[in-house]
Amino acid sequence: MNETIHWADIIAEDVLERGNKHTVASGITPSGAIHIGNMREVVTADAAYRALKEKSADVRLIYIADTLDPLRKVYPFLSDDYEAHVGKPLSDIPCPCGNHKNYAEHFLLPFIESLHTLGIKPDVYRADELYRQGKYLDAIKKALLNRDAIANILSEVSGRELAPDWSPFNPICSKCGRLTTTKVTGFDIEKETIDYACDCGSNSTVPMNGGGKLTWRVDWPARWPIFGTTVEPFGKDHATAGGSYDTGIRISREVYNYEPPHPIVYEWIMLKGKGAMHSSTGLAISIGDMLEIVPPEVLRYLILRQRPEKHIEFDPGMALLNLIDEYDQVEGDKRAYKLSQTEASKPTDVPFRHMVTAVQIADGRDFDYLLTILKRTDYDTSDVEAIRQRADNARNWLLKYAPPVVKFKVQDTLPVQVTSFSGGQKQALSILADDIEHGMSGQEIHENIYNVAEKVGITGKQVFEAVYQSLLGIKSGPRAGYFLEALEKDFVVKRFKEASR
Ligand SMILES: [Zn+2]
Ligand SMILES: [Zn+2]
């Protein structure tokens, strides 16, 4: 895997043949919480952007929020009041919490914040502002004047029959506020206005700038020349034969005289055992939720180590520990590792599975105590913020996704299970208590356990069980070497002595 060229570099090489000036675009309709499945698009775009930048291209990364898209239905997370807003642009609908400018911003702002955490800083554009500012004006005029040519392309490529009164423009009704119930009845290129009739009974005229939007299949290619887009990732739903990329190619070339961007078609991210994460299915973990358990650079790595056209199965259980450790040890795809780094990411030398053990030992005590535990086990604790971040990730993971087998609690008092210890187990604990008292490290204890077992005539497994039961009240626990080293020495000695009586 390390020998092959990373896909982001292949794309960069490819588009550089087109010239040195580039725009990598991505975007979304902010109709609900933006989840990790959507994030694949932006991380993919960012990787292409970084690869181009490294090759000295004059490149920028943009993100277009389709804030003028209508609310399609009352989603399960919305109150019934939203029934009145179905069909209106997202930027004209009140936000669900009351603290944002509008519905679109409610979902967009936390997403942009997550992007910054992920080291992605695109220029963000909002469709409602772009239209109001007149950025689409020429594109709207061309679309209206070339209505028949566009209708032909759409029916030829997508195979769907368009109604005789079909228009590439969807006016926003000035009476009821909807853009899903209007029909264009005329336009004036000079005055830059559009006439419409609405199902609500309104017949009126709106300005081309801000009075509505181009329909998606035209809006997409229309924005390519506006931003000079040369690279754009999009989900496979847009990439089907006769889909919006196919029609976009022809509209772009034939109506807007622009060579379409290099497509990067990406597959979905599946949640293990649950299926594809998609806004419409409601099966999603928000990016904010993900960042509570996964360090940002590792989330990038999850996406970048896989080619875009392969699906990713995200397993927030035990597999997450392996993913984080693979990242920390730079064992996997080295180029993906490099492309995953963020300015803010501060790798620690504490393996995540040790952090998971350490935070459980420190349970209920302050952060300084956690640092003490890490120092006991010889980890570098100089970067306090990095440790704090990983410790938070570990705690949240334990709370939400960790399987029961990794969870434990160090018992404050001698667990009752010790009453069932055999004579051999008691003897073994007594020997271990002496060894620790005389300076043997946790690691040495671990390596010595089979010798002790042999000496007292029981199995190694029985010694391990006695160790865990006397400390945790259960028969298994974290790897004994690290675990014993992380605990306070006097505490362990005292506990083993008590248990051996
Ligand atoms: Zn809000
Ligand atoms: Zn209306």
Side-chain angles (χ1 to χ4, degrees):
M1 193 176 193
N2 294 337
E3 308 307 319
T4 57
I5 305 173
H6 194 267
W7 52 264
D9 294 313
I10 295 173
I11 291 163
E13 291 292 349
D14 200 40
V15 299
L16 277 168
E17 287 173 17
R18 187 175 168 154
N20 199 47
K21 201 167 161 53
H22 292 278
T23 300
V24 182
S26 78
I28 201 170
T29 303
S31 56
I34 302 170
H35 56 78
I36 181 179
N38 305 124
M39 194 192 60
R40 184 168 198 181
E41 173 168 314
V42 199
V43 172
T44 300
D46 188 60
Y49 164 76
R50 288 192 189 188
L52 275 162
K53 206 170 180 182
E54 279 180 28
K55 296 180 204 311
S56 306
D58 175 7
V59 58
R60 67 184 196 123
L61 180 67
I62 65 165
Y63 185 81
I64 301 173
D66 287 305
T67 51
L68 272 186
D69 284 6
L71 181 68
R72 296 277 169 207
K73 60 175 185 178
V74 182
Y75 297 106
F77 51 83
L78 295 173
S79 69
D80 293 343
D81 305 348
Y82 279 86
E83 192 60 55
H85 298 299
V86 172
K88 292 182 189 173
L90 300 173
S91 55
D92 287 348
I93 300 173
C95 111
C97 77
N99 295 324
H100 298 90
K101 212 169 94 187
N102 58 50
Y103 185 100
E105 295 301 304
H106 177 87
F107 294 109
L108 193 55
L109 289 182
F111 178 68
I112 293 169
E113 205 175 297
S114 298
L115 287 189
H116 288 175
T117 308
L118 287 161
I120 303 173
K121 291 182 184 126
D123 297 332
V124 178
Y125 295 93
R126 289 154 173 90
D128 63 306
E129 291 173 1
L130 293 169
Y131 274 94
R132 255 200 315 276
Q133 291 160 356
K135 296 280 194 285
Y136 273 90
L137 185 62
D138 286 341
I140 293 168
K141 288 180 178 175
K142 274 187 190 149
L144 291 167
L145 293 170
N146 292 282
R147 183 264 173 215
D148 292 348
I150 294 173
N152 273 339
I153 293 171
L154 291 180
S155 58
E156 268 176 44
V157 178
S158 74
R160 61 176 178 161
E161 236 10 85
L162 295 178
D165 60 354
W166 179 84
S167 168
F169 193 84
N170 299 128
I172 301 167
C173 175
S174 39
K175 191 170 162 219
C176 73
R178 293 190 169 74
L179 49 64
T180 48
T181 47
T182 53
K183 289 241 180 293
V184 171
T185 52
F187 57 86
D188 188 323
I189 293 291
E190 293 298 309
K191 288 188 186 150
E192 298 173 349
T193 56
I194 294 177
D195 311 318
Y196 73 88
C198 179
D199 289 353
C200 75
S202 168
N203 287 283
S204 192
T205 302
V206 288
M208 287 181 184
N209 291 337
K213 72 180 290 290
L214 291 167
T215 182
W216 163 247
R217 285 200 184 229
V218 184
D219 181 305
W220 196 21
R223 69 173 68 158
W224 293 337
I226 294 173
F227 291 98
T229 304
T230 52
V231 183
E232 183 159 354
F234 47 87
K236 60 175 183 175
D237 51 337
H238 294 304
T240 50
S244 51
Y245 184 67
D246 275 1
T247 52
I249 292 173
R250 284 197 48 196
I251 295 170
S252 187
R253 286 181 184 146
E254 294 169 35
V255 177
Y256 293 117
N257 194 24
Y258 185 81
E259 186 53 27
H262 185 294
I264 311 176
V265 179
Y266 62 86
E267 256 286 351
W268 308 135
I269 297 185
M270 325 286 280
L271 193 57
K272 187 176 166 84
K274 297 269 174 67
M277 281 200 258
H278 206 268
S279 324
S280 60
T281 60
L283 177 72
I285 300 180
S286 84
I287 301 171
D289 287 348
M290 286 310 308
L291 287 171
E292 283 183 3
I293 59 163
V294 193
E297 62 277 14
V298 178
L299 207 45
R300 292 178 63 100
Y301 181 71
L302 169 76
I303 291 169
L304 295 179
R305 67 176 179 163
Q306 189 66 274
R307 298 222 315 260
E309 67 272 21
K310 301 258 181 174
H311 89 259
I312 292 172
E313 185 174 70
F314 180 71
D315 177 356
M318 283 308 280
L320 182 67
L321 291 189
N322 299 329
L323 176 71
I324 294 176
D325 284 348
E326 178 185 315
Y327 178 84
D328 283 342
Q329 290 152 24
V330 203
E331 277 177 345
D333 182 330
K334 295 200 169 44
R335 178 61 175 153
Y337 174 83
K338 186 160 182 284
L339 286 168
S340 300
Q341 284 164 326
T342 70
E343 278 167 45
S345 59
K346 301 165 187 157
T348 77
D349 71 340
V350 188
F352 196 66
R353 58 189 70 234
H354 284 181
M355 191 63 94
V356 165
T357 299
V359 297
Q360 292 187 90
I361 294 173
D363 182 40
R365 299 175 74 167
D366 62 11
F367 184 66
D368 282 344
Y369 188 66
L370 176 67
L371 292 179
T372 307
I373 292 169
L374 294 172
K375 273 180 209 149
R376 263 184 220 146
T377 45
D378 283 335
Y379 285 116
D380 176 4
T381 55
S382 55
D383 195 340
V384 172
E385 274 321 299
I387 288 173
R388 196 187 296 275
Q389 190 207 310
R390 288 290 177 102
D392 285 346
N393 290 153
R395 270 190 223 98
N396 289 326
W397 181 73
L398 283 161
L399 211 60
K400 289 183 181 166
Y401 301 102
V405 65
V406 301
K407 295 186 192 178
F408 64 83
K409 180 162 176 36
V410 178
Q411 300 298 307
D412 295 332
T413 54
L414 191 67
V416 291
Q417 285 85 348
V418 303
T419 53
S420 66
F421 285 172
S422 67
Q425 282 179 307
K426 288 181 179 178
Q427 255 182 296
L429 287 177
S430 174
I431 295 170
L432 291 177
D434 279 347
D435 287 346
I436 295 170
E437 210 168 13
H438 293 107
M440 205 182 256
S441 73
Q443 191 51 39
E444 288 164 335
I445 291 286
H446 189 131
E447 286 157 13
N448 200 35
I449 273 182
Y450 289 94
N451 294 333
V452 173
E454 207 174 327
K455 208 182 290 177
V456 301
I458 58 173
T459 65
K461 182 167 179 266
Q462 287 168 320
V463 181
F464 277 114
E465 284 177 0
V467 164
Y468 292 123
Q469 281 186 303
S470 58
L471 296 166
L472 306 176
I474 49 176
K475 283 187 175 176
S476 62
R479 199 175 175 280
Y482 174 77
F483 179 55
L484 291 174
E485 220 157 295
L487 290 166
E488 209 171 325
K489 186 177 144 185
D490 294 348
F491 167 79
V492 179
V493 171
K494 184 165 166 266
R495 178 59 59 86
F496 282 180
K497 282 183 175 168
E498 277 175 347
S500 65
R501 275 182 207 126

